[in-house]
């Protein structure tokens, strides 16, 4: 039974294929008692008024009846269906009243070279909306009835005009006079009652002319086609064409076409040999049903003998009934030199399949396609030898509801010599064990789009050890497979397998089976699955191409990638990977796709061990805009070694928040913030400069004191320490204890000194440390006589010029006798006599251990530790000096302060 549904726009739908009233006739809706019209109600689109829809359908039915009354057979079933149908539609109309949607405007391209007016329910060409500069115009799927000159006259640059799926019944003779540049004209599926030769005549630049599926009854081409020397694609015919004459397409004798398509109605009754004699084309498409007169097919095939085609295609060979005759109607196929033979739709039983295959078996045909055919078992099957020598480069079984077609003669021997076997949407639920050995020549096996479960294709009881030894490519994509281990077990005996496509499944590894993949596998397409990080344990490691995009991966297994050392192309787009592991090494990887994941940190270290990397895709990730990312992008884009294919549009900042959605290409933190080398150089330089400044300041402030210190070392110390008996002196450079606070050293040494000598100069007055030393010496003198403090004025000082903080020093200078260092050498001897006189003779003291480590300081102090006092006033001899007693516990120091 043929079922035709009315579509929401007033057109009919047959098996989801749009059709108008011309097609309704071709489908034979009223030509057979057991075939009737079923209308889809209510209209699916809210834009369609139910009442208008109903009358539109009735109008079309009546017009079809008027056109072909002789073939009309309306059974009582139709009448019984029509009455309740009208009532239902009327009720729906009451409950479903809506205003029709206002007509929309065409979509005009920005450059005004193309316009899309498709599906806008236009009943005429919207000339006011169309710019004169148009080169392409699409007016398909509207309700236009007539084409006039004024519709396109101003579109002089028009090259492509699509008017298919309208209701055009008339094209005026001057309709295309202003469109001489027209190269493609599509009038497919309209209501033309004759071919508009006059209107087509000026279009000598036509390359594509589609005008089949119209309502003309004669498909004979006129003389205008003699001038269509550039024509490459032509389709003619329709549901009312019932015969093909020998001279119908004679005018095409000098034209070499790429494609020629011819359509007739279900009432096709006459074919004159010689129709295809003058035809030269690469693709020949028949939309001809031989239900009523199957004997016409051998006549047609005889006309095609010794002709060469790339594709020979039959649509609806038997549209309404299975062929049950005994005559071999495919006899002529063996003489047709076609690369590909396609049967599209139509009814095929076992006997028809056998007839076709037996002739293809001995023909030059190299590819066979069986698409959307209605296959059924034959009730009275003729006994005969199975098809065993069908040698094909490609066999395609697609969209066939009955999976028995794969063993149409109860065996799989017809697959013995097939190199590429493709089974799409056949929905078989098992692969018998005896099928595997019969596919011994198969190099490509594609069983995608079949809703397969693991158990449908993998049977542990099947012995596959001696099967599919030539299989190179195995495609199981778009199924419902879940087990990686089962797939590995199925393919382990395919000794030449190199490529496996297992995409669009729910594959994962549950750790419950062995994963022994063939080492020959080099390409794995596994996108759109449900993988986890554990799934890497069950993937082939011999691959050089691996696609795991959109597979829900959240992390990578570096152990796997270390084993897959030959990998050259890796696609991981659209996963949930949160970070790029450090130390990812792969010496051959050239292409890496990581776009659409969840990682945000990328640096130069991320890919530094991928020495061969040349192409990187890593956009659409939540990037942290840091110096590492900035440096990586700058280095990568500037050096040009690696091409970032989706830069810069797909790279945006996600963190920090202030930079959210900022383009990474516009993120520039500056060289100082990100150049570590520059930061180090600046830091070192700054530190060095500061040190130099400090040293310079120390030098500047220490130099004035240098002469005072030299005077102490070169004059004072030798004159006091080298006499007999010697004085023991304490100076900070030599005798301060390392590690102690300077102030503590000062206090301790002053406290332990019997005399304190201050060498006064201008530098002394300007020294803070000397100020402290003077203060502590004054504190020491509290309760004692100031005779312990000896002032030596190295250079003249005006007491009135001293700062107010030296008030006691002023008083001492004004009230106490002090020694002045004479500048004349002749007077200096007397100075030393005076100084030793003031110091007095050294007392016996116990020696004290004093560190000899020096510490340069801002303090200028000299301490004198007195030597043992000698009893002989005339001076000790050497023996007495050697036998002198050791200094006492209490050190008697003469502290000499020098500023």
């Amino acid at each position: 039974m043929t079922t035709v549904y009315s579509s929401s726009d007033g057109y009919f739908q047959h098996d989801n294929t749009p059709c108008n009233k011309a097609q309704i006739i071709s489908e034979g809706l009223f030509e057979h008692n057991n075939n009737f019209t079923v209308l889809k109600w209510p209209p699916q689109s809210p834009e369609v008024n139910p009442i208008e829809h109903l009358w539109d359908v009735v109008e079309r039915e009546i017009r079809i009846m008027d056109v072909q009354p002789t073939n009309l057979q309306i059974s009582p079933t139709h009448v019984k269906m029509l009455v309740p149908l009208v009532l239902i539609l009327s009720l729906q109309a009451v409950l479903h009243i809506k205003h029709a949607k206002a007509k929309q405007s065409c979509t005009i391209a920005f450059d005004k070279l193309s316009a899309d007016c498709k599906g806008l329910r236009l009943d005429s060409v919207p000339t006011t909306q169309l710019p004169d500069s148009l080169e392409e115009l699409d007016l398909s799927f509207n309700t236009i009835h007539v084409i006039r000159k004024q519709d396109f006259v101003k579109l002089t640059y028009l090259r492509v005009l699509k008017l298919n799926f309208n209701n055009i019944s008339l094209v005026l003779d001057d309709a295309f006079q202003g469109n001489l540049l027209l190269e493609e004209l599509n009038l497919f599926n309209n209501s033309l009652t004759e071919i508009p030769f006059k209107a087509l005549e000026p279009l000598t630049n036509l390359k594509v002319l589609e005008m089949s599926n119209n309502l003309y009854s004669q498909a004979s081409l006129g003389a205008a086609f003699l001038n269509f020397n550039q024509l490459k694609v032509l389709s003619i015919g329709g549901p009312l064409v019932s015969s093909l004459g020998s001279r119908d397409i004679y005018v095409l004798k000098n034209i070499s076409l790429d494609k020629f398509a011819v359509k007739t109605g279900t009432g096709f009754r006459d074919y004159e040999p010689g129709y295809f004699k003058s035809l030269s084309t690469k693709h020949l498409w028949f939309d001809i049903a031989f239900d009523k007169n199957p004997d016409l097919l051998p006549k047609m095939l005889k006309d095609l003998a010794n002709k060469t085609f790339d594709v020979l295609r039959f649509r609806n060979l038997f549209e309404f009934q299975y062929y049950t005759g005994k005559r071999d109607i495919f006899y002529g196929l063996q003489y047709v030199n076609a690369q590909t033979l396609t049967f599209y739709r139509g009814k095929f039983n076992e006997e028809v399949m056998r007839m076709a295959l037996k002739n293809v078996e001995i023909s030059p045909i190299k590819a066979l396609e069986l698409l959307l055919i209605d296959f059924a078992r034959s009730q009275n099957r003729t006994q005969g030898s199975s098809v065993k020598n069908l040698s094909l480069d490609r066999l395609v079984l697609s969209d066939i509801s009955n999976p028995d077609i794969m063993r149409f003669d109860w065996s799989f021997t017809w697959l013995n010599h097939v190199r590429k076997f493709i089974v799409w949407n056949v929905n078989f639920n098992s692969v018998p064990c005896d099928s595997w050995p019969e596919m011994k020549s198969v190099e490509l096996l594609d069983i995608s789009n079949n809703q397969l479960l693991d158990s449908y294709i993998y049977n542990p009881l099947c012995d596959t050890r001696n099967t599919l030894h030539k299989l190179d490519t195995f495609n199981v994509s778009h199924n419902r497979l879940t087990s990686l281990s089962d797939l590995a077990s199925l393919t382990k005996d395919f000794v030449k397998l190199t490529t496996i496509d297992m995409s669009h499944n729910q594959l994962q590894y549950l750790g419950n089976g062995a994963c022994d993949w063939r080492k020959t596998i080099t390409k794995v397409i596994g996108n759109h699955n449900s993988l986890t990080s554990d799934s890497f344990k069950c993937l082939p490691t011999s691959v050089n191409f691996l696609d795991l995009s959109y597979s829900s991966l959240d992390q990578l297994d570096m152990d796997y990638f270390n084993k897959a050392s030959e990998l050259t192309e890796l696609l991981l787009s659209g996963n949930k990977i949160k970070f790029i592991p450090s130390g990812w090494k792969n010496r051959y990887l050239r292409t890496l796709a990581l776009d659409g994941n969840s990682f945000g940190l990328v640096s130069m270290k991320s890919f530094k061990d991928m020495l061969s990397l040349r192409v990187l895709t890593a956009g659409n990730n939540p990037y942290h805009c840091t110096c590492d990312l900035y440096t990586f992008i700058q280095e990568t884009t500037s050096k040009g070694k690696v091409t970032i294919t989706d830069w810069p549009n797909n790279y945006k900042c996600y963190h920090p928040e202030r930079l959210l959605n900022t383009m990474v290409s516009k993120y520039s933190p500056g060289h100082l913030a990100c150049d570590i080398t520059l930061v180090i150089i600046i830091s070192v330089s700054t530190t060095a400069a500061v040190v130099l400044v400090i040293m310079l300041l120390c030098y500047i402030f220490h130099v004035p004191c240098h002469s005072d210190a030299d005077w102490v070392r070169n004059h004072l110390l030798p004159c006091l320490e080298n006499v007999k008996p010697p004085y023991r002196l304490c100076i900070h450079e030599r005798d301060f204890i390392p590690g102690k606070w300077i102030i503590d050293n000062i206090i301790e040494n002053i406290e332990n000194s019997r005399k304190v000598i201050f060498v006064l100069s201008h530098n002394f007055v300007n020294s803070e440390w000397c100020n402290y030393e003077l203060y502590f010496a004054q504190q020491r003198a509290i309760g004692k006589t100031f005779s312990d403090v000896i002032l030596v004025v190295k250079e003249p000082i005006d007491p009135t010029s001293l700062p107010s903080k030296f008030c006691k020093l002023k008083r001492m200078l004004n009230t106490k006798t002090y020694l002045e260092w004479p500048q004349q050498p002749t007077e200096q001897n007397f100075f030393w006599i005076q100084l030793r006189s003031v110091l007095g003779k050294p007392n016996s003291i116990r020696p004290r251990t004093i560190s000899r480590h020096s510490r340069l300081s801002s303090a200028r102090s000299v301490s004198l530790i007195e030597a043992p006092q000698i009893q002989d006033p005339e001076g000790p001899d050497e023996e007495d000096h050697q036998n002198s007693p050791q200094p006492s516990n209490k050190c008697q120091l003469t502290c000499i302060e020098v500023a």
Side-chain angles (χ1 to χ4, degrees), residues 79-346:
V79 177
K80 291 178 182 179
M81 291 184 60
L82 185 60
V83 174
L85 180 61
V86 172
L87 294 176
I88 293 173
L89 297 183
S90 300
L91 178 61
Q92 290 281 352
V94 174
L95 299 177
H96 194 74
I97 297 175
K98 290 189 176 180
H99 295 289
K101 185 177 179 181
K103 294 179 181 178
Q104 299 178 3
S105 300
C106 300
T107 302
I108 311 297
F110 180 76
D111 57 7
K112 295 185 178 182
L113 296 180
S114 63
D116 184 358
C117 306
K118 179 171 58 179
L120 301 182
R121 298 182 61 84
L122 301 172
D123 53 15
S124 61
V125 177
T127 55
T128 58
Q129 298 183 31
L130 306 177
D132 298 352
S133 57
L134 281 183
E135 295 182 6
E136 298 184 13
L137 175 59
D138 188 348
L139 286 163
S140 60
F141 294 93
N142 284 291
T143 58
I144 300 173
H145 295 276
V146 180
I147 301 299
R148 301 176 175 84
K149 179 180 180 180
Q150 58 265 32
D151 291 337
F152 308 114
V153 67
K154 67 175 184 177
L155 306 180
T156 56
Y157 299 103
L158 199 63
R159 294 185 300 103
V160 177
L161 177 59
K162 297 179 181 180
L163 294 167
N164 48 309
F165 290 99
N166 274 279
N167 197 22
I168 300 171
S169 58
L170 179 63
V171 178
L172 298 183
D173 292 347
D174 57 357
F176 303 121
Q177 284 188 356
N179 313 115
L180 302 183
L181 300 179
L182 202 61
E183 298 178 359
E184 179 180 338
L185 175 60
N186 195 332
L187 290 166
F188 176 80
N189 208 93
N190 277 283
S191 301
L192 293 172
T193 56
E194 61 180 16
I195 298 176
F197 294 114
K198 284 286 187 181
L200 297 175
E201 189 172 356
L203 306 180
T204 56
N205 288 312
L206 276 180
K207 296 180 180 178
V208 177
L209 177 58
E210 302 272 10
M211 54 180 186
S212 66
N213 223 38
N214 278 277
L215 296 180
Y216 50 83
S217 58
Q218 297 294 324
S220 179
L221 301 180
F225 280 79
L226 291 172
N227 297 321
F228 293 168
N229 296 322
Q230 300 184 49
L231 195 63
K232 292 299 178 183
V233 176
L234 174 63
S235 68
I236 60 174
L240 301 184
V241 176
S242 58
S243 64
L244 298 176
S246 59
R247 302 284 294 180
D248 284 354
I249 58 173
Y250 177 76
V251 292
L252 301 178
K253 62 180 181 178
N254 296 322
I255 300 175
S256 180
L257 297 173
D258 290 335
K259 174 188 171 184
F260 176 75
V262 59
K263 177 180 174 59
T264 66
T266 55
F268 180 60
R269 63 180 183 272
D270 187 31
Y271 175 80
E272 289 185 6
Y275 178 83
F276 294 107
K277 181 179 180 180
S278 303
L279 181 67
S280 174
T281 184
K282 296 178 181 178
H283 292 236
L284 179 57
W285 286 25
F286 295 101
D287 191 350
I288 301 175
F290 294 91
D291 298 62
K292 293 185 175 181
N293 200 342
D295 291 336
L296 296 180
L297 179 59
K299 292 182 180 180
M300 195 174 294
L301 291 177
K302 186 177 180 180
D303 259 3
L304 301 180
N306 302 318
K307 284 185 174 291
T308 300
F309 307 100
D310 290 345
V311 176
L312 180 61
R313 183 179 186 265
F314 292 92
R315 183 183 187 272
N316 280 327
L317 197 64
F318 295 98
E319 189 171 5
F320 301 113
Q321 61 189 23
Y322 296 100
Y323 175 68
T324 56
K326 301 299 181 182
R327 181 184 178 184
D328 184 359
I329 56 176
F330 293 103
Y331 174 77
L333 275 179
Q334 59 185 292
Y335 303 109
V336 178
N337 187 14
Q339 293 296 310
T340 300
L341 174 63
T342 301
F343 292 107
Y344 179 76
R345 297 189 179 276

Side-chain angles (χ1 to χ4, degrees), residues 402-407 412 415 421 423 426-436 439 447 450-459 462 479-481 490:
N402 189 349
D404 283 349
I405 191 172
M406 289 193 292
R407 58 187 311 172
F412 295 93
L415 304 177
F421 185 30
V423 184
V426 177
N427 297 324
F428 57 93
N429 57 12
S430 67
V431 179
C433 291
D434 62 335
S435 66
W436 295 109
M439 294 185 284
I447 53 176
N450 282 290
Q451 301 296 311
L452 295 175
L453 301 178
D454 300 295
S455 59
Y456 292 0
I457 60 173
Y458 174 58
N459 183 353
C462 291
N479 283 294
R480 292 188 292 167
L481 305 179
L490 172 65

